[in-house]
Amino acid sequence: MNTTKDHTCHRLTLDAAPADMHVLGTIRTQLTQFTHAIGLPEETVTNVSLATYEALANVVEHAYPPGQAGTFDLLAEALADDGVLTVAIVDHGAWKPPPDTSRSRRGRGLPLMRACSDDFEISSLTGGGTEIRLRWNFGSATWLPDR
């Protein structure tokens, strides 16, 4: 994990994180600490945590075939000048087609991400991989002083 900060921007960067359900709790904790550190309101922190966790779970479940190890990158960037937090998750796999969810309780991840964020998009990347981008408009936050 790499966290950087300047006067107008905070970043949390995770490169080549394993696409494994066992690491998602730790990443969720890091992201929650990051959003608290930049002073986002609790409701926004909860929405960021929930939507991002769902996006990461989708990467683990859909980006790589069963038994194939994979990775993803995460960049959370809060721009004070714009009042926007963006969380981008990029995998390096090839998403499998979604299963028929008409008879199950599955298939609620994308609507959840939409409902918990101000803006949401999924893009296929040239050369393989998928990017999930989530955004929240926070107006202004309480930026921590340099330590």
Side-chain angles (χ1 to χ4, degrees):
M1 174 181 73
N2 183 15
T3 304
T4 59
K5 171 175 50 172
D6 62 31
H7 294 289
T8 61
C9 182
H10 279 240
R11 284 185 193 91
L12 170 66
T13 307
L14 302 171
D15 294 321
D20 182 323
M21 289 300 272
H22 295 97
V23 303
L24 299 188
T26 301
I27 293 170
R28 186 179 196 166
T29 299
Q30 291 171 338
L31 184 62
T32 299
Q33 290 170 345
F34 172 77
T35 54
H36 278 130
I38 61 173
L40 296 182
E42 194 58 39
E43 180 180 350
T44 304
V45 170
T46 299
N47 285 334
V48 170
S49 176
L50 183 58
T52 303
Y53 186 85
E54 184 60 38
L56 295 174
N58 279 341
V59 167
V60 170
E61 186 173 351
H62 299 294
Y64 301 99
Q68 179 183 338
T71 62
F72 64 88
D73 304 320
L74 180 145
L75 172 63
E77 185 172 68
L79 300 173
D81 293 343
D82 296 337
V84 175
L85 169 66
T86 302
V87 176
I89 299 145
V90 176
D91 69 60
H92 311 285
W95 282 40
K96 54 189 173 191
D100 176 17
T101 58
S102 61
R103 294 189 175 153
S104 74
R105 296 177 186 248
R106 302 190 46 84
R108 291 177 173 77
L110 299 181
L112 178 71
M113 285 182 258
R114 272 189 198 90
C116 290
S117 63
D118 294 326
D119 187 44
F120 162 79
E121 58 190 76
I122 296 180
S123 305
S124 296
L125 302 174
T126 305
T130 303
E131 179 179 34
I132 301 170
R133 188 171 291 269
L134 303 154
R135 287 185 196 86
W136 291 266
N137 300 312
F138 57 81
S140 63
T142 307
W143 300 94
L144 293 178
D146 293 332
R147 296 181 187 193

